[in-house]
Amino acid sequence: MTITLLRTVFLFLYGILPTFLIAQDTPLQATYPADTGRTDTLIKIADAQHEALLPVSIIRGKQQGPVFTIVAGIHGYEYPPIIAVQRILAELRPEALNGTLVIIPIANTLAFFGRAVFLNPQDKKNLNRVFPGDPQGSVTERIADYIARHIIPGSDVFLDIHAGDAGEDLLPFVCYYDKKDSPEQLALAEKLTTAAGFRYNVVYPYTITATEPAQYAFKHATQQGVTALSIEAGKLGNVQKDAVMLIRESIYNMLDEMDMYAAPSATDPGEQLWITGQHYVKSPEQGIFYSDLKSGDHVAKGQPLGYITDVFGKDREEIRSPADGIILYKTGTPPVNTGETLYCIGTP
């Protein structure tokens, strides 16, 4: 898709609302509404060979309050977050909002319109593996750099929404990093995770240094002292209506918890399960993967999880569970390559 056609698609999607096109070196604050309302901006980000448009909506409420940033589509093939954010953009009323919402409805537009799994099809890089980015790097690294320099620092809360990509069978959960030297941000991340209303919540260990590249968007925000968390809902590269509604409802619940926007009636998730350990099972070789298990299944240590054959159907490897726990996500399609994650097993 040419950049001219891509720009036309965006202008069509945003309808009669004024849409501004700015260069990547323009501060985002220059596009904020002067008063209660919304502005939509397309940020032109380019390297020597490629160009992308990063859409950003700024919604300023009637009352002063926090800046809550929502990012969808860092992986362009993960559709439920993108569709959920479209719903919120269509229905949220600025006059009922306290504070400011910064919304990136599709962070990786090249992957989205190119139907590309994980990678930007232009430079073959994964946007969620290059943070904090590089202002002199390839187009994907420059998108990360813009988010890292212009969006994350101005955020009080940074919410990064994902789903199971084309080959991932995933259990819906909310997650954050256990960065103990930022107790105030950590407490708010836990509070918002609880308020989101998911059945499963995951706490990841925080082990990187202050200068080590975080790679992941919401991990970089955590590293920079911003309250950050992520939603995972949806799977296998499809749009599941229940996942879209779950994401939408959870965002409203978080905004309500922040006293920014009144949430519609919510479904009680019942008892919430907190998962504090993760075990990753990698594929030992390339082949065809078979498994009758699915995300959400409970497994026991040593239990057979599936097996791999070669392209002639000959058995090559049996895969067993390294621990007791719950399958948070797994490879849900037959092809596997050496070193790919077959399972992530969470332990409560």
Side-chain angles (χ1 to χ4, degrees):
M1 178 176 288
T2 67
I3 198 67
T4 302
L5 180 55
L6 184 61
R7 188 174 301 158
T8 302
V9 169
F10 273 117
L11 294 176
F12 172 78
L13 288 174
Y14 280 80
I16 62 172
L17 287 169
T19 301
F20 303 98
L21 182 66
I22 66 173
Q24 64 196 46
D25 56 351
T26 305
L28 186 66
Q29 283 71 19
T31 71
Y32 273 42
D35 203 350
T36 304
R38 168 178 159 187
T39 58
D40 293 335
T41 302
L42 294 172
I43 300 159
K44 178 181 174 181
I45 296 178
D47 60 19
Q49 295 179 296
H50 305 117
E51 181 179 316
L53 293 175
L54 178 69
V56 183
S57 288
I58 312 291
I59 305 174
R60 174 166 282 181
K62 192 171 184 179
Q63 304 294 331
Q64 294 294 315
V67 176
F68 195 112
T69 297
I70 301 169
V71 181
I74 277 183
H75 289 142
Y77 215 108
E78 296 174 2
Y79 299 135
I82 294 168
I83 302 305
V85 167
Q86 295 296 319
R87 290 283 302 272
I88 288 172
L89 284 171
E91 63 196 15
L92 192 135
R93 296 177 295 114
E95 65 274 12
L97 176 69
N98 298 321
T100 301
L101 283 178
V102 178
I103 299 178
I104 302 177
I106 311 172
N108 197 337
T109 53
L110 295 169
F112 177 74
F113 289 108
R115 300 187 182 92
V117 177
F118 293 125
L119 304 180
N120 180 335
Q122 290 193 343
D123 63 4
K124 309 301 181 186
K125 292 185 179 179
N126 184 336
L127 180 55
N128 211 35
R129 295 294 186 276
V130 298
F131 277 84
D134 181 353
Q136 303 303 319
S138 70
V139 64
T140 297
E141 293 168 320
R142 294 184 189 214
I143 294 170
D145 170 72
Y146 190 91
I147 295 171
R149 286 195 297 120
H150 293 286
I151 293 178
I152 288 175
S155 305
D156 294 298
V157 175
F158 184 84
L159 174 64
D160 181 18
I161 316 173
H162 289 262
D165 219 301
E168 293 177 320
D169 176 17
L170 179 139
L171 180 71
F173 60 88
V174 185
C175 55
Y176 63 90
Y177 284 96
D178 187 20
K179 191 172 187 290
K180 292 183 170 62
D181 62 353
S182 298
E184 185 177 337
Q185 289 80 7
L186 180 59
L188 181 55
E190 181 179 351
K191 186 178 181 181
L192 292 175
T193 297
T194 302
F198 276 49
R199 173 76 174 90
Y200 298 96
N201 301 317
V202 176
V203 183
Y204 290 120
Y206 184 83
T207 59
I208 62 173
T209 67
T211 58
E212 186 177 348
Q215 296 187 317
Y216 310 117
F218 88 103
K219 192 173 188 180
H220 176 76
T222 302
Q223 184 186 49
Q224 302 309 306
V226 174
T227 296
L229 61 162
S230 182
I231 292 172
E232 295 271 6
K235 58 185 178 180
L236 295 169
N238 287 309
V239 179
Q240 295 88 19
K241 289 184 178 179
D242 57 343
V244 171
M245 296 308 295
L246 185 61
I247 294 167
R248 170 186 171 273
E249 187 175 280
S250 69
I251 291 172
Y252 280 127
N253 288 346
M254 291 184 193
L255 295 176
D256 197 338
E257 183 67 31
M258 295 282 291
D259 295 322
M260 293 182 66
Y261 200 85
S265 57
T267 303
D268 184 356
E271 182 183 1
Q272 292 183 307
L273 185 65
W274 292 82
I275 294 170
T276 56
Q278 300 83 37
H279 303 270
Y280 298 91
V281 180
K282 304 290 186 177
S283 177
E285 61 181 287
Q286 186 181 70
I288 301 172
F289 176 58
Y290 295 83
S291 175
D292 293 328
L293 297 171
K294 61 184 183 301
S295 62
D297 283 347
H298 290 251
V299 295
K301 184 175 181 179
Q303 174 184 335
L305 301 177
Y307 61 95
I308 297 171
T309 73
D310 64 17
V311 294
F312 298 104
K314 298 175 182 177
D315 289 350
R316 298 288 299 170
E317 294 279 352
E318 183 180 56
I319 309 299
R320 293 182 175 270
S321 177
D324 298 338
I326 301 165
I327 298 175
L328 295 180
Y329 53 89
K330 65 177 287 288
T331 296
T333 50
V336 293
N337 293 292
T338 304
E340 290 180 343
T341 298
L342 296 178
Y343 298 89
C344 177
I345 297 170
T347 55

